Amino acid sequence: MVTAKRDPALIVIQLAGGNDAMNTIVPYTNGIYHDSRKAIGLTEADVLDINGTLGFHPSMGPIKRMYDQGKVAVLQGIGYPNPNRSHFRSLDIWHTAEPEKMAPDGWLGKAIRDIDPNKENILTAVNFGRGLPRALAAPGVSVASIGDINNYGVLTGIQTTEKRSEALDIFARMYAPMI
């Protein structure tokens, strides 16, 4: 039976590498921000305002629309006690949520295991991107990891590029969150 009702979904977007957090959520009224970013700083006119002091980068229009609908949260200033300034240990803590010890399981993997302890769902997590993030790694937790949906092996029987692109678009929208 086809239904439009969907269970709630948690979508975690991890921006790693060269992401500039200060130009993703921009403190556009902060003088130190502007003093430190003379060449790349964004002004009030540039950003998509959140609350009169912070704004989304102008390219984040779709995220801003979801934010305005109450479907996206912005969490700033997240940290952990007693940071030791090691990049690698910090990444380990972020992925495991264990600041006091080395842990084998990722925080999202543990959450998935708790949400579906009897493994009743065939698919509880999907990763889009190359490699499985450590946050999703946990023994007994199945995660589909798709490096590139266009090369995923979905609908490979369709011979023409145009028809396959159209079918992949329909497939992607079918499994996308309802907005």
Side-chain angles (χ1 to χ4, degrees):
M1 176 170 80
V2 177
T3 178
K5 182 186 178 308
R6 294 190 180 184
D7 290 333
L10 170 65
I11 299 170
V12 176
I13 300 172
Q14 177 181 324
L15 301 174
N19 178 56
D20 180 357
M22 297 300 286
N23 270 0
T24 301
I25 304 297
V26 183
Y28 64 86
T29 61
N30 186 310
I32 296 171
Y33 166 78
H34 291 288
D35 291 344
S36 302
R37 293 169 174 263
K38 295 190 188 310
I40 62 170
L42 299 171
T43 67
E44 181 176 0
D46 296 326
V47 301
L48 305 171
D49 184 61
I50 294 173
N51 63 6
T53 62
L54 296 171
F56 285 103
H57 186 277
S59 67
M60 296 182 68
I63 300 289
K64 172 66 162 85
R65 284 191 290 281
M66 289 189 292
Y67 176 85
D68 289 343
Q69 296 169 1
K71 295 180 178 179
V72 167
V74 174
L75 306 175
Q76 281 194 296
I78 297 172
Y80 53 88
N82 306 314
N84 69 2
R85 310 269 189 230
S86 164
H87 171 77
F88 300 104
R89 179 64 185 128
S90 291
L91 285 175
D92 185 59
I93 292 168
W94 283 116
H95 287 281
T96 63
E98 292 285 355
E100 302 297 324
K101 63 181 180 179
M102 297 298 290
D105 300 348
W107 72 273
L108 281 168
K110 290 186 279 190
I112 293 164
R113 192 170 44 221
D114 289 348
I115 289 168
D116 188 24
N118 298 323
K119 299 180 183 177
E120 295 169 351
N121 295 300
I122 295 170
L123 186 62
T124 54
V126 178
N127 171 58
F128 291 96
R130 304 244 179 251
L132 184 67
R134 177 132 189 250
L136 282 167
V141 174
S142 297
V143 178
S145 191
I146 302 168
D148 179 358
I149 195 166
N150 294 315
N151 297 320
Y152 181 54
V154 176
L155 309 171
T156 55
I158 300 173
Q159 300 302 316
T160 66
T161 303
E162 183 179 314
K163 288 188 184 276
R164 185 165 188 273
S165 293
E166 181 181 340
L168 282 171
D169 181 57
I170 292 167
F171 177 81
R173 283 186 283 125
M174 184 172 30
Y175 288 100
M178 292 181 70
I179 298 172

